[in-house]
Amino acid sequence: MNVRAPNWSRVRLHVVSGKGGTGKSTVAAALALALARGGKKVLLLEVEGRQGIAQIFDTAPLPYQESKVAVAEDGGIVYALPVDAEAAMLEYLEMFYGIKRGGYALRRLGAIDFATTIAPGLRDVLLTGKASEAVKRGEKVGRPAYDAVVLDAPPTGRITRFLNVNTEIAGLAKVGPIRTQADSVMGVIRSARTAVHLVTLLEEMPVQETLDGLAELRAAGLPLGAVVINQVRGSQLDDEQLRLAAERALPESVLKKGLRAAAIDPTAATLRALADEAADHAARAALQNSERRRLAQTDQPILELPLLPGGIDLAALYGLSEAMTEQGLPG
């Protein structure tokens, strides 16, 4: 379902957020695979320290370096990097102040962790700075290091604060390297090179959080991407059958036929159980349609990914990337 055809041909940084439990990390990984199609190089970043990328791609825990994790169609490659605030701070100290050995001493003393704890805005500058650097790397010589960067970002509840680093460090630094870094990051995040995608389920709470997130991102002037509806349940019943199921009015002959097809004896008890199941299914379908209409009113491009009963493995991940490509997400 596309409310409006996406056009992100200029986007290089795809930020993926969503309420916890909606599958945002899985969607980010599938998006990276979709973007890598056609022989492209894509970097997938995570910033929450969970080694989620390693789990999704079924690899050993990843080091703090850009590592190849998957090959897409036509030879495209997905690299991954779990961004660590402490390691990013050491890079920052070396880059701007020439401190390397002293930086490691600070880490042993716990000073770096202390600094990023009392000034969380600094932590976000460091984390978003890695994404910004990956986008800009090689641009000046016309050979970008990556065709696209996908950032598996924090949940929707704090995505605006996470991305809007200039506001976060306003009371921390007016001038100097930290401010320069924040300005550089915002130069990428606020540009046409970035799109923020929000992942949701067709349930009331995730949808409401998505709507709130979209409003906050718009108010902050941050570039919106798609709303990705994950784990959509399909239905083999048409609209009339769903109406009858909701009213518990499906003909008994239809119920018996279905039970016999499943090699189940159509007793009175099994008929009641099947009618109850059909009514529950109709109620869920109605809820999905209602929440889908709420999302459609945002006028954002909407993509839908199916619920995979077997769970997520590499084959399923490639299937989700195919579904994204068919709906035009890479743009």
Side-chain angles (χ1 to χ4, degrees):
M1 171 185 177
N2 272 338
V3 171
R4 181 164 50 83
N7 180 18
W8 296 304
S9 57
R10 296 174 60 191
V11 172
R12 299 270 315 290
L13 174 58
H14 294 262
V15 180
V16 181
S17 181
K19 179 177 170 58
T22 59
K24 73 175 179 66
S25 296
T26 299
V27 170
L31 173 58
L33 280 170
L35 291 167
R37 285 172 174 247
K40 296 178 180 177
K41 290 176 61 179
V42 175
L43 178 63
L44 175 60
L45 302 171
E46 66 173 336
V47 296
E48 295 184 275
R50 296 182 292 103
Q51 284 287 340
I53 294 174
Q55 295 175 36
I56 290 169
F57 285 100
D58 195 22
T59 68
L62 297 170
Y64 184 63
Q65 64 185 49
E66 293 162 17
S67 307
K68 177 179 174 181
V69 293
V71 177
E73 286 192 9
D74 304 322
I77 300 175
V78 176
Y79 294 84
L81 174 66
V83 184
D84 176 77
E86 184 178 86
M89 172 71 93
L90 293 175
E91 285 185 3
Y92 174 86
L93 291 173
E94 183 178 2
M95 182 183 304
F96 287 103
Y97 296 100
I99 299 173
K100 187 172 184 179
R101 187 173 299 174
Y104 287 101
L106 288 172
R107 180 171 65 178
R108 286 196 298 271
L109 293 171
I112 293 175
D113 186 52
F114 177 73
T116 56
T117 299
I118 64 172
L122 174 60
R123 181 181 184 276
D124 291 347
V125 169
L126 295 170
L127 296 176
T128 54
K130 287 299 295 182
S132 173
E133 181 275 329
V135 168
K136 295 191 294 184
R137 193 188 311 164
E139 279 188 342
K140 289 185 178 179
V141 294
R143 293 193 300 273
Y146 292 101
D147 296 288
V149 176
V150 178
L151 175 59
D152 181 8
T156 317
R158 84 174 201 93
I159 186 61
T160 301
R161 183 174 180 179
F162 174 75
L163 294 175
N164 203 16
V165 293
N166 265 357
T167 300
E168 289 302 299
I169 61 97
L172 184 66
K174 302 294 184 183
V175 294
I178 294 177
R179 184 72 199 197
T180 300
Q181 173 78 344
D183 288 342
S184 175
V185 169
M186 291 309 298
V188 172
I189 290 177
R190 289 191 182 277
S191 73
R193 290 180 289 180
T194 297
V196 184
H197 311 294
L198 299 186
V199 182
T200 188
L201 306 179
L202 287 176
E203 298 172 3
E204 186 175 357
M205 287 184 63
V207 167
Q208 187 57 55
E209 189 162 314
T210 298
L211 296 175
D212 293 342
L214 289 171
E216 289 178 4
L217 289 165
R218 284 196 189 96
L222 297 170
L224 299 178
V227 172
V228 183
I229 303 174
N230 197 21
Q231 300 178 25
V232 176
R233 297 170 182 264
S235 177
Q236 296 183 351
L237 303 181
D238 59 30
D239 290 345
E240 177 61 16
Q241 289 170 330
L242 286 171
R243 182 186 68 79
L244 291 173
E247 297 173 356
R248 298 178 183 273
L250 282 170
E252 188 173 289
S253 58
V254 172
L255 296 177
K256 287 182 177 179
K257 181 179 179 181
L259 288 169
R260 290 192 179 107
I264 298 174
D265 186 21
T267 65
T270 55
L271 285 169
R272 284 195 300 273
L274 183 56
D276 289 343
E277 186 68 25
D280 289 343
H281 174 76
R284 176 168 288 278
L287 175 63
Q288 284 197 155
N289 289 334
S290 173
E291 297 304 320
R292 186 183 283 111
R293 286 192 292 271
R294 293 176 69 198
L295 292 169
Q297 292 173 359
T298 66
D299 196 36
Q300 291 304 121
I302 295 178
L303 295 94
E304 298 195 8
L305 300 178
L307 173 68
L308 302 175
I312 298 295
D313 55 17
L314 282 176
L317 203 59
Y318 279 88
L320 293 178
S321 74
E322 175 71 25
M324 287 184 169
T325 301
E326 290 174 354
Q327 294 178 73
L329 182 54

